[in-house]
mmCIF file of all heavy atoms in Angstrom:
data_model
loop_
_atom_site.group_PDB
_atom_site.id
_atom_site.type_symbol
_atom_site.label_atom_id
_atom_site.label_comp_id
_atom_site.label_asym_id
_atom_site.label_seq_id
_atom_site.Cartn_x
_atom_site.Cartn_y
_atom_site.Cartn_z
ATOM 1 N N GLU H 810 55.471 95.039 32.760
ATOM 2 C CA GLU H 810 56.136 94.799 34.042
ATOM 3 C C GLU H 810 56.671 93.377 34.069
ATOM 4 O O GLU H 810 56.037 92.452 33.551
ATOM 5 C CB GLU H 810 55.159 95.016 35.187
ATOM 6 C CG GLU H 810 54.941 96.479 35.456
ATOM 7 C CD GLU H 810 54.276 96.723 36.790
ATOM 8 O OE1 GLU H 810 54.576 95.996 37.759
ATOM 9 O OE2 GLU H 810 53.446 97.636 36.846
ATOM 10 N N VAL H 811 57.846 93.200 34.668
ATOM 11 C CA VAL H 811 58.480 91.880 34.716
ATOM 12 C C VAL H 811 58.724 91.503 36.179
ATOM 13 O O VAL H 811 59.277 92.289 36.939
ATOM 14 C CB VAL H 811 59.830 91.910 33.958
ATOM 15 C CG1 VAL H 811 60.539 90.566 34.067
ATOM 16 C CG2 VAL H 811 59.622 92.277 32.493
ATOM 17 N N GLU H 812 58.274 90.310 36.554
ATOM 18 C CA GLU H 812 58.513 89.803 37.908
ATOM 19 C C GLU H 812 59.492 88.647 37.832
ATOM 20 O O GLU H 812 59.301 87.722 37.034
ATOM 21 C CB GLU H 812 57.205 89.290 38.545
ATOM 22 C CG GLU H 812 56.018 90.212 38.446
ATOM 23 C CD GLU H 812 56.223 91.502 39.209
ATOM 24 O OE1 GLU H 812 56.970 91.499 40.190
ATOM 25 O OE2 GLU H 812 55.634 92.517 38.804
ATOM 26 N N LEU H 813 60.539 88.687 38.660
ATOM 27 C CA LEU H 813 61.526 87.607 38.677
ATOM 28 C C LEU H 813 61.376 86.820 39.971
ATOM 29 O O LEU H 813 61.114 87.396 41.010
ATOM 30 C CB LEU H 813 62.949 88.178 38.641
ATOM 31 C CG LEU H 813 63.341 89.089 37.487
ATOM 32 C CD1 LEU H 813 64.744 89.631 37.728
ATOM 33 C CD2 LEU H 813 63.315 88.318 36.172
ATOM 34 N N GLU H 814 61.560 85.518 39.897
ATOM 35 C CA GLU H 814 61.500 84.739 41.133
ATOM 36 C C GLU H 814 62.352 83.482 41.023
ATOM 37 O O GLU H 814 62.512 82.913 39.943
ATOM 38 C CB GLU H 814 60.036 84.373 41.452
ATOM 39 C CG GLU H 814 59.784 83.794 42.834
ATOM 40 C CD GLU H 814 60.412 84.603 43.969
ATOM 41 O OE1 GLU H 814 59.775 85.559 44.460
ATOM 42 O OE2 GLU H 814 61.550 84.272 44.350
ATOM 43 N N ASN H 815 62.915 83.103 42.148
ATOM 44 C CA ASN H 815 63.634 81.839 42.267
ATOM 45 C C ASN H 815 62.689 80.668 41.938
ATOM 46 O O ASN H 815 61.512 80.703 42.278
ATOM 47 C CB ASN H 815 64.158 81.752 43.708
ATOM 48 C CG ASN H 815 64.600 80.373 44.087
ATOM 49 O OD1 ASN H 815 63.869 79.642 44.725
ATOM 50 N ND2 ASN H 815 65.779 80.023 43.671
ATOM 51 N N ALA H 816 63.229 79.627 41.285
ATOM 52 C CA ALA H 816 62.378 78.523 40.813
ATOM 53 C C ALA H 816 61.620 77.830 41.951
ATOM 54 O O ALA H 816 60.436 77.511 41.810
ATOM 55 C CB ALA H 816 63.234 77.503 40.064
ATOM 56 N N ALA H 817 62.290 77.610 43.078
ATOM 57 C CA ALA H 817 61.615 76.916 44.186
ATOM 58 C C ALA H 817 60.483 77.783 44.745
ATOM 59 O O ALA H 817 59.401 77.274 45.069
ATOM 60 C CB ALA H 817 62.613 76.571 45.283
ATOM 61 N N ASN H 818 60.730 79.090 44.839
ATOM 62 C CA ASN H 818 59.668 79.982 45.311
ATOM 63 C C ASN H 818 58.516 80.033 44.311
ATOM 64 O O ASN H 818 57.344 80.122 44.695
ATOM 65 C CB ASN H 818 60.211 81.395 45.531
ATOM 66 C CG ASN H 818 61.118 81.477 46.747
ATOM 67 O OD1 ASN H 818 61.160 80.546 47.551
ATOM 68 N ND2 ASN H 818 61.850 82.561 46.863
ATOM 69 N N ALA H 819 58.848 79.980 43.008
ATOM 70 C CA ALA H 819 57.797 79.967 41.986
ATOM 71 C C ALA H 819 56.930 78.717 42.143
ATOM 72 O O ALA H 819 55.699 78.779 42.069
ATOM 73 C CB ALA H 819 58.410 80.026 40.588
ATOM 74 N N CYS H 820 57.573 77.567 42.391
ATOM 75 C CA CYS H 820 56.805 76.324 42.594
ATOM 76 C C CYS H 820 55.935 76.425 43.844
ATOM 77 O O CYS H 820 54.795 75.960 43.858
ATOM 78 C CB CYS H 820 57.743 75.125 42.731
ATOM 79 S SG CYS H 820 58.526 74.673 41.186
ATOM 80 N N LEU H 821 56.493 77.024 44.895
ATOM 81 C CA LEU H 821 55.717 77.186 46.131
ATOM 82 C C LEU H 821 54.478 78.042 45.869
ATOM 83 O O LEU H 821 53.374 77.722 46.304
ATOM 84 C CB LEU H 821 56.597 77.847 47.209
ATOM 85 C CG LEU H 821 55.923 78.170 48.535
ATOM 86 C CD1 LEU H 821 55.511 76.903 49.266
ATOM 87 C CD2 LEU H 821 56.845 78.985 49.436
ATOM 88 N N LEU H 822 54.678 79.095 45.119
ATOM 89 C CA LEU H 822 53.559 79.982 44.792
ATOM 90 C C LEU H 822 52.507 79.239 43.956
ATOM 91 O O LEU H 822 51.298 79.383 44.187
ATOM 92 C CB LEU H 822 54.083 81.201 44.039
ATOM 93 C CG LEU H 822 53.095 82.313 43.723
ATOM 94 C CD1 LEU H 822 52.394 82.787 44.984
ATOM 95 C CD2 LEU H 822 53.801 83.479 43.058
ATOM 96 N N ALA H 823 52.978 78.414 43.011
ATOM 97 C CA ALA H 823 52.043 77.620 42.198
ATOM 98 C C ALA H 823 51.253 76.666 43.087
ATOM 99 O O ALA H 823 50.042 76.482 42.906
ATOM 100 C CB ALA H 823 52.808 76.839 41.134
ATOM 101 N N THR H 824 51.924 76.060 44.054
ATOM 102 C CA THR H 824 51.251 75.121 44.963
ATOM 103 C C THR H 824 50.173 75.834 45.771
ATOM 104 O O THR H 824 49.048 75.355 45.898
ATOM 105 C CB THR H 824 52.284 74.487 45.926
ATOM 106 O OG1 THR H 824 53.182 73.704 45.157
ATOM 107 C CG2 THR H 824 51.615 73.617 46.970
ATOM 108 N N VAL H 825 50.519 76.995 46.312
ATOM 109 C CA VAL H 825 49.574 77.712 47.158
ATOM 110 C C VAL H 825 48.431 78.294 46.316
ATOM 111 O O VAL H 825 47.271 78.264 46.706
ATOM 112 C CB VAL H 825 50.300 78.832 47.944
ATOM 113 C CG1 VAL H 825 49.303 79.683 48.724
ATOM 114 C CG2 VAL H 825 51.313 78.227 48.897
ATOM 115 N N TRP H 826 48.767 78.797 45.120
ATOM 116 C CA TRP H 826 47.789 79.520 44.297
ATOM 117 C C TRP H 826 46.870 78.579 43.531
ATOM 118 O O TRP H 826 45.656 78.754 43.503
ATOM 119 C CB TRP H 826 48.564 80.426 43.331
ATOM 120 C CG TRP H 826 47.727 81.409 42.575
ATOM 121 C CD1 TRP H 826 47.062 81.151 41.410
ATOM 122 C CD2 TRP H 826 47.475 82.769 42.898
ATOM 123 N NE1 TRP H 826 46.418 82.290 40.991
ATOM 124 C CE2 TRP H 826 46.651 83.296 41.882
ATOM 125 C CE3 TRP H 826 47.872 83.603 43.952
ATOM 126 C CZ2 TRP H 826 46.215 84.617 41.882
ATOM 127 C CZ3 TRP H 826 47.429 84.915 43.942
ATOM 128 C CH2 TRP H 826 46.611 85.405 42.921
ATOM 129 N N PHE H 827 47.491 77.563 42.894
ATOM 130 C CA PHE H 827 46.684 76.669 42.045
ATOM 131 C C PHE H 827 46.490 75.276 42.662
ATOM 132 O O PHE H 827 45.739 74.481 42.136
ATOM 133 C CB PHE H 827 47.350 76.489 40.671
ATOM 134 C CG PHE H 827 47.403 77.750 39.855
ATOM 135 C CD1 PHE H 827 48.618 78.347 39.535
ATOM 136 C CD2 PHE H 827 46.237 78.352 39.398
ATOM 137 C CE1 PHE H 827 48.671 79.508 38.780
ATOM 138 C CE2 PHE H 827 46.281 79.519 38.642
ATOM 139 C CZ PHE H 827 47.502 80.103 38.335
ATOM 140 N N GLY H 828 47.244 74.961 43.724
ATOM 141 C CA GLY H 828 47.245 73.589 44.243
ATOM 142 C C GLY H 828 46.314 73.354 45.402
ATOM 143 O O GLY H 828 46.415 72.354 46.090
ATOM 144 N N ARG H 829 45.408 74.272 45.635
ATOM 145 C CA ARG H 829 44.430 74.136 46.721
ATOM 146 C C ARG H 829 45.098 73.877 48.070
ATOM 147 O O ARG H 829 44.698 73.007 48.820
ATOM 148 C CB ARG H 829 43.437 73.019 46.406
ATOM 149 C CG ARG H 829 42.684 73.261 45.121
ATOM 150 C CD ARG H 829 41.653 72.184 44.858
ATOM 151 N NE ARG H 829 41.119 72.337 43.529
ATOM 152 C CZ ARG H 829 40.205 73.247 43.195
ATOM 153 N NH1 ARG H 829 39.713 74.032 44.108
ATOM 154 N NH2 ARG H 829 39.778 73.339 41.953
#
Side-chain angles (χ1 to χ4, degrees):
E810 283 195 37
V811 177
E812 312 295 332
L813 303 175
E814 191 49 87
N815 165 261
N818 288 348
C820 288
L821 176 66
L822 186 54
T824 295
V825 174
W826 190 275
F827 295 115
R829 301 183 189 282

